[in-house]
Amino acid sequence: MSVSVSICKPFFFRYRKAAAPAAVYFYTFVCMKRFLPLLLVALALSACGNRFAGDPVAEALQNYIVSHAPEGCQFALTELQKVDSTTIATELERRTGIFAKRLEKNEELYVRYRTDGHPKNAELKRLAMKKDQQVLQDLAALRESLGERIHGIAYYDYRFSGHLTKGRRSVDYQDAWFTITPSDEVLVVVTDPRDLHKSGGLAIPGYREIIKDADPE
């Protein structure tokens, strides 16, 4: 019996010493497998953040998104690409077309309401028509007053991707869009490019004062 103990005891200790490093290695492997993707994401975001450091467009976009998000959110930009630009003349023509179509629609409804015997609705449309006509006159006057400035850039179109995070929660911006003026004022951020130019008129000098009571679509 004493012989067996003297033989087995050293073997047991040799096994325990050999098993301990193996357990440590296994635990380390599991931890790395679990946290390595998070580490890679953090490193990628850090690299992207450094890539756009000092870019006024990237900074303006980040400030805009964070200011429209819940308090405590952080935004990391991963992709940024300029896609197009629009001149003041082009945007002014677009705005004029919008109000011209609205005036035409209000005229149709005005005639219909009068014909169908709805005087209150007809009066509302008459007032709307009057506003539309005034806006069109003001836009025409604005075009003349801008002179050579009308050929300048109103805004740029950008496509971007990024992550808005707060704690463990995250919102991904994948191929989203925004417009920004040459003075780095972000006009709108959208996920559907069809909505990108709905606020483009705000980039025209004097446009805000013209439509403050018009409520354009």
Side-chain angles (χ1 to χ4, degrees):
M1 179 67 67
S2 61
V3 174
S4 299
V5 171
S6 62
I7 294 175
C8 295
K9 188 174 182 181
F11 174 78
F12 170 74
F13 281 105
R14 286 198 303 270
Y15 174 77
R16 187 168 62 178
K17 290 179 181 180
V24 172
Y25 295 151
F26 178 76
Y27 179 75
T28 303
F29 172 76
V30 172
C31 290
M32 289 184 64
K33 186 176 180 181
R34 177 178 299 178
F35 295 107
L36 184 59
L38 298 177
L39 178 61
L40 292 176
V41 170
L43 291 175
L45 292 178
S46 176
C48 290
N50 293 333
R51 180 155 61 99
F52 297 112
D55 187 331
V57 173
E59 182 178 349
L61 174 63
Q62 178 179 357
N63 292 338
Y64 181 93
I65 291 179
V66 171
S67 67
H68 289 76
E71 187 177 356
C73 287
Q74 294 182 336
F75 179 72
L77 184 64
T78 57
E79 296 292 338
L80 182 64
Q81 179 185 7
K82 183 190 291 185
V83 178
D84 201 357
S85 62
T86 300
T87 64
I88 295 175
T90 299
E91 186 58 33
L92 190 55
E93 182 178 352
R94 180 182 292 133
R95 294 295 123 186
T96 300
I98 289 175
F99 279 99
K101 288 182 179 179
R102 199 172 81 159
L103 175 59
E104 181 180 352
K105 182 65 175 179
N106 284 331
E107 288 175 340
E108 293 177 358
L109 291 174
Y110 171 73
V111 172
R112 181 188 304 173
Y113 289 142
R114 287 196 61 184
T115 303
D116 294 344
H118 300 292
K120 291 183 178 180
N121 291 339
E123 177 61 15
L124 291 175
K125 289 304 171 183
R126 187 189 69 80
L127 294 175
M129 289 164 50
K130 186 176 180 180
K131 283 185 177 182
D132 294 340
Q133 291 167 347
Q134 184 62 54
V135 168
L136 289 172
Q137 292 177 11
D138 291 342
L139 290 177
L142 178 60
R143 174 183 289 274
E144 294 297 325
S145 68
L146 287 172
E148 290 300 317
R149 287 191 299 163
I150 199 170
H151 302 298
I153 297 298
Y155 55 81
Y156 300 98
D157 297 345
Y158 276 83
R159 183 169 57 236
F160 75 97
S161 296
H163 309 280
L164 182 68
T165 59
K166 183 177 182 180
R168 296 183 178 180
R169 297 183 178 181
S170 176
V171 176
D172 291 334
Y173 288 83
Q174 187 66 35
D175 288 333
W177 297 76
F178 72 99
T179 54
I180 187 170
T181 67
S183 60
D184 298 326
E185 177 190 0
V186 176
L187 299 177
V188 67
V189 174
V190 297
T191 56
D192 189 341
R194 292 175 296 182
D195 298 330
L196 187 59
H197 297 147
K198 288 186 175 181
S199 300
L202 299 178
I204 303 174
Y207 180 80
R208 298 172 192 257
E209 290 74 20
I210 291 176
I211 56 92
K212 60 183 178 181
D213 296 323
D215 189 26
E217 295 179 355

